[in-house]
């Protein structure tokens, strides 16, 4: 009995935590959803000036990027005040869809002030996409696994979104414009919004 209790009390190794996470629906939906969204987000932002410059000019394109950046800060601060009281998966899905809506406006409406407003909408959730995975993992998984799971999540996301600018650029060159790659980004955002709402099995959190 003593040996059995000791075995049960033995903390899981990092390898065991990672192996279990890669079979866990809750972890996979968070990780894949944010990987897709960050792929789209980074790909769009890197190419934003190149897209806006011939449409509204370099000066207003710079204003649009500055507004996007400022709104990323505003959005992160405002979210930090309320995020603990929200359904974080639902908040993530709404953030993804807001970026998809902004991209749809960017593709189809080329008025300078409309484009700047769309960049503001897109930027509002940019900063939150970095912190939301950690908050979801913290809420849904035990604290002993947190460090390993966030490291795994971050590694997968970074490897994925590193390809975003290159894929957007390749599709631009192949199609002759940004319509196709930006519609791909919209599709990824919408898929991610649906995926993030898929939750894993409820699990009992260990007593602190």
């Amino acid at each position: 009995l003593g040996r059995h209790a000791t075995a049960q009390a033995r903390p899981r190794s990092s390898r065991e935590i990672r192996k279990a996470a890669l079979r866990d629906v809750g972890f996979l939906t968070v990780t894949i959803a944010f990987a897709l969204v960050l792929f789209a987000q980074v790909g769009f932002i890197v190419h934003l000036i190149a897209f806006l410059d011939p449409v509204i000019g370099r000066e207003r394109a710079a204003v649009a990027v500055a507004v996007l950046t400022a709104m990323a800060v505003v959005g992160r601060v405002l979210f930090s005040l309320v995020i603990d009281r929200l359904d974080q998966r639902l908040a993530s899905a709404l953030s993804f869809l807001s970026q998809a809506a902004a991209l749809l406006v960017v593709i189809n409406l080329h008025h300078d002030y409309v484009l700047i407003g769309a960049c503001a909408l897109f930027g509002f959730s940019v900063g939150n996409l970095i912190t939301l995975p950690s908050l979801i993992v913290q809420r849904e998984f035990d604290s002993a696994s947190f460090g390993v799971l966030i490291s795994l999540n971050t590694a997968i996301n970074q490897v994925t979104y590193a390809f975003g600018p290159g894929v957007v650029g390749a599709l631009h060159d192949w199609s002759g414009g940004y319509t196709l790659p930006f519609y791909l980004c919209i599709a990824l955002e919408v898929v991610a919004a649906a995926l993030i709402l898929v939750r894993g099995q409820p699990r009992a959190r260990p007593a602190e």
Side-chain angles (χ1 to χ4, degrees):
L1 179 60
R3 270 184 304 201
H4 178 67
T6 301
Q8 282 194 327
R10 180 182 66 85
R12 292 186 299 168
S13 67
S14 297
R15 182 175 179 274
E16 290 170 333
I17 293 172
R18 285 193 294 268
K19 186 176 179 180
L22 293 174
R23 298 195 302 264
D24 187 286
V25 172
F27 179 79
L28 289 175
T29 55
V30 170
T31 299
I32 295 172
F34 278 94
L36 294 177
V37 167
L38 289 169
F39 178 99
Q41 176 175 287
V42 173
F44 169 70
I45 291 174
V46 167
H47 287 269
L48 183 55
I49 286 286
F51 170 78
L52 291 177
D53 189 8
V55 177
I56 60 175
R58 180 64 57 90
E59 182 178 339
R60 288 184 177 173
V63 170
V65 174
V67 168
L68 186 153
T69 304
M71 287 301 294
V73 176
V74 171
R76 195 162 186 176
V77 171
L78 292 180
F79 253 70
S80 70
L81 301 176
V82 298
I83 192 61
D84 288 337
R85 300 193 292 274
L86 300 178
D87 180 328
Q88 292 165 357
R89 283 182 178 263
L90 180 58
S92 298
L94 294 175
S95 294
F96 302 166
L97 292 176
S98 72
Q99 288 195 345
L103 280 168
L104 194 61
V105 171
V106 165
I107 293 169
N108 293 287
L109 300 176
H110 290 174
H111 187 279
D112 48 1
Y113 293 114
V114 173
L115 286 171
I116 292 171
C119 288
L121 175 61
F122 189 95
F124 187 78
S125 58
V126 163
N128 296 314
L129 299 191
I130 300 171
T131 55
L132 277 166
S134 300
L135 296 174
I136 295 171
V137 169
Q138 181 185 42
R139 177 172 288 186
E140 297 186 3
F141 294 86
D142 65 272
S143 58
S145 304
F146 178 79
V148 174
L149 294 180
I150 287 303
S151 297
L152 180 59
N153 174 277
T154 301
I156 293 171
N157 287 347
Q158 288 182 342
V159 169
T160 303
Y161 74 64
F163 291 96
V167 171
V168 170
L171 288 175
H172 167 270
D173 294 343
W174 178 74
S175 65
Y178 279 108
T179 299
L180 176 62
F182 285 179
Y183 269 117
L184 171 64
C185 291
I186 290 173
L188 294 178
E189 299 265 12
V190 172
V191 169
L195 193 59
I196 195 67
L197 296 176
V198 179
R199 303 170 190 268
Q201 292 293 325
R203 54 180 63 79
R205 294 179 65 87
E208 299 291 342

